[in-house]
C-alpha cells in the first residue's frame, strides 16, 4: 500500500487549519465589527455556523489526504488509541500550528491591527459568565472536546455510520458547541485554533486551558469509544 | 451471449465480457480493459492506495463516452 507523503499530508493539515482559523476566528472579527456586541446572539450563531462550514469543507476536501485532523487534540487522541502513528504526531501538530498562525497573520493583513485587536484576533478566553475562571473554562473545554471527539469516533472511525456525513456531522457539532459554550470558554476545542490568534494578538491569558482541556477531552472520548464500543464488539 | 457490436456488423461472435456501464456483451476485439487504482480509508485517516489494481471492462462506445 502507498499513501500521500508526509510532506503532502502536512501541507494538507496546514491548509485545513488555515481554512478553519481564517474563516472561524476571522468570523469573530468580522461579526464583532459588523453586528457588534449589541447583537451577541446573532454574532454567536453566525460564528458557529461559519466554523461548521469551514470544518465541513476542510473534511470533504482534505479528509482523504491527511485525515484532516486540523486539531492537535484530535491527532493526540487518535495516536493514544494507536490509530495514528506516534512518530507523525509532532509533524502534524507543527503543520496545524503553522496554518493557524498564517491565518491570523492574514487577518492582520486584511483587517489591520486596529480592528483585529478589538477582539484579540478572535482568541478564546474564559468568559465573564464564569467569572473568567480558567479552571472552569478548562472543565468546559474537556467536556466539549469530549463531545467533538465522540462525534468523530462515532461518525467516522467506527465505520458504522452512514458514509458521507462526516463533514457536516462534525462541522455542526462544533457549531452547536460554539452556540452553547462560546460565552463560557470561547469554545476552542482546538489548541491550534487558539494558538494562531494568541501569537498575533499577544494575548496569552489562560492559554494553557486550550491545550490541556481539548487534549484531555479528546483522549477520554477516544479511549472510551475505542475500547468499549469498537474493540470490545470485535 | 454474443458480441453486440459484431452483431450490428452482421457477424456472429461470442462475447467474452460484459460492459460494466451498459451491460453490452463484447468480444475481445470490442472491449477495453483498464486497471483501476483502489484507495481505501479516508477521514479521519489518510487514504491508502492498495498495491493491486482492479480490472474494469467497458465496451468501446462507453469507453469513448467517458474518455472522449
Amino acid at each position: 500500500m502507498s499513501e500521500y507523503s508526509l510532506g503532502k499530508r502536512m501541507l494538507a493539515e496546514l491548509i485545513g487549519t488555515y481554512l478553519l482559523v481564517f474563516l472561524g476566528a476571522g468570523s469573530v472579527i468580522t461579526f464583532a465589527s459588523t453586528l457588534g456586541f449589541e447583537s451577541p446572539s446573532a454574532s454567536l450563531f453566525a460564528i458557529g455556523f461559519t466554523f461548521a462550514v469551514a470544518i465541513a469543507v476542510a473534511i470533504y476536501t482534505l479528509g482523504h489526504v491527511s485525515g484532516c485532523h486540523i486539531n492537535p487534540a484530535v491527532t493526540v487522541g487518535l495516536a493514544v488509541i494507536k490509530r495514528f502513528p506516534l512518530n507523525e504526531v509532532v509533524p502534524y501538530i507543527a503543520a496545524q500550528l503553522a496554518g493557524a498562525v498564517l491565518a491570523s497573520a492574514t487577518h492582520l493583513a486584511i483587517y489591520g491591527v486596529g480592528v483585529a485587536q478589538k477582539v484579540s484576533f478572535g482568541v478564546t478566553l474564559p468568559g465573564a459568565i464564569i467569572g473568567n475562571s480558567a479552571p472552569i473554562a478548562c472543565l468546559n473545554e474537556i467536556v466539549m472536546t469530549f463531545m467533538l471527539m465522540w462525534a468523530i469516533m462515532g461518525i467516522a472511525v467506527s465505520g458504522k455510520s452512514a458514509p458521507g456525513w462526516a463533514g457536516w456531522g462534525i462541522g455542526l457539532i462544533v457549531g452547536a458547541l460554539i452556540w452553547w459554550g462560546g460565552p463560557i470558554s470561547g469554545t476552542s476545542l482546538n489548541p491550534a485554533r487558539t494558538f494562531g490568534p494568541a501569537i498575533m494578538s499577544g494575548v496569552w491569558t489562560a492559554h494553557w486551558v486550550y491545550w490541556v482541556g481539548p487534549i484531555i477531552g479528546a483522549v477520554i472520548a477516544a479511549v472510551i469509544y475505542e475500547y468499549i464500543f469498537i474493540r470490545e464488539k470485535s | 451471449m454474443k458480441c453486440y457490436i459484431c452483431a450490428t456488423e452482421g457477424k456472429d461472435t461470442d462475447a467474452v465480457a460484459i460492459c460494466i456501464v451498459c451491460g453490452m456483451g463484447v468480444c475481445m476485439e470490442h472491449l477495453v480493459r483498464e486497471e483501476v487504482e483502489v484507495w481505501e480509508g479516508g477521514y479521519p485517516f489518510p487514504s491508502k492506495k492498495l498495491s493491486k489494481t482492479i480490472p474494469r471492462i467497458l465496451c468501446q462506445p462507453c469507453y469513448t463516452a467517458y474518455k472522449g
Side-chain angles (χ1 to χ4, degrees):
Chain A
M1 276 199 281
S2 62
E3 60 187 350
Y4 292 101
S5 67
L6 179 60
K8 284 183 180 177
R9 285 183 283 129
M10 287 175 67
L11 179 62
E13 286 296 310
L14 185 151
I15 292 171
T17 314
Y18 180 95
L19 184 67
L20 173 74
V21 175
F22 181 77
L23 281 175
S27 72
V28 177
I29 305 170
T30 291
F31 293 127
S33 302
T34 55
L35 297 174
F37 294 104
E38 294 78 20
S39 307
S41 300
S43 291
L44 194 60
F45 186 85
I47 291 164
F49 194 69
T50 303
F51 267 98
V53 171
I55 290 168
V57 170
I59 287 175
Y60 288 130
T61 56
L62 298 169
H64 64 286
V65 179
S66 65
C68 195
H69 300 173
I70 59 173
N71 181 343
V74 173
T75 301
V76 171
L78 291 173
V80 166
I81 58 173
K82 300 187 174 78
R83 284 184 178 268
F84 187 76
L86 272 177
N87 63 343
E88 292 185 358
V89 169
V90 170
Y92 260 53
I93 292 176
Q96 292 156 359
L97 296 179
V101 171
L102 281 173
S104 286
T106 311
H107 291 156
L108 176 63
I110 292 173
Y111 295 109
V113 71
V115 174
Q117 193 64 19
K118 276 184 185 172
V119 286
S120 305
F121 286 75
V123 78
T124 52
L125 295 166
I129 192 173
I130 55 169
N132 307 111
S133 164
I136 294 175
C138 188
L139 173 64
N140 194 47
E141 290 291 325
I142 290 172
V143 175
M144 291 194 299
T145 314
F146 176 93
M147 294 178 186
L148 168 63
M149 193 69 195
W150 191 261
I152 292 171
M153 294 298 292
I155 295 172
V157 177
S158 72
K160 301 298 180 189
S161 271
W165 282 98
W168 280 115
I170 291 154
L172 287 173
I173 185 69
V174 171
L177 290 168
I178 287 170
W179 299 329
W180 181 78
I184 299 170
S185 63
T187 306
S188 171
L189 317 170
N190 182 341
R193 177 257 175 271
T194 299
F195 183 79
I199 283 272
M200 297 310 296
S201 67
V203 174
W204 295 95
T205 307
H207 188 72
W208 64 270
V209 164
Y210 303 103
W211 283 87
V212 174
I215 288 174
I216 290 177
V219 168
I220 292 173
V223 167
I224 290 176
Y225 206 106
E226 177 75 10
Y227 291 100
I228 294 180
F229 295 119
I230 296 180
R231 296 196 189 182
E232 178 66 19
K233 185 176 60 181
S234 60
Chain B
M1 182 183 278
K2 302 295 182 182
C3 172
Y4 180 86
I5 297 174
C6 283
T8 61
E9 296 169 351
K11 292 185 283 187
D12 184 28
T13 314
D14 285 337
V16 296
I18 294 171
C19 172
I20 197 170
V21 175
C22 69
M24 179 192 299
V26 282
C27 65
M28 285 298 286
E29 189 181 340
H30 290 122
L31 66 79
V32 180
R33 173 179 162 142
E34 284 210 336
E35 299 294 323
V36 177
E37 291 178 349
V38 182
W39 291 73
E40 69 170 17
Y43 180 82
F45 309 113
S47 56
K48 295 184 177 182
K49 186 169 73 177
L50 300 185
S51 55
K52 293 194 174 177
T53 55
I54 291 180
R56 285 284 180 266
I57 292 175
L58 299 175
C59 65
Q60 287 176 348
C62 288
Y63 182 84
T64 304
Y66 273 104
K67 301 281 183 165

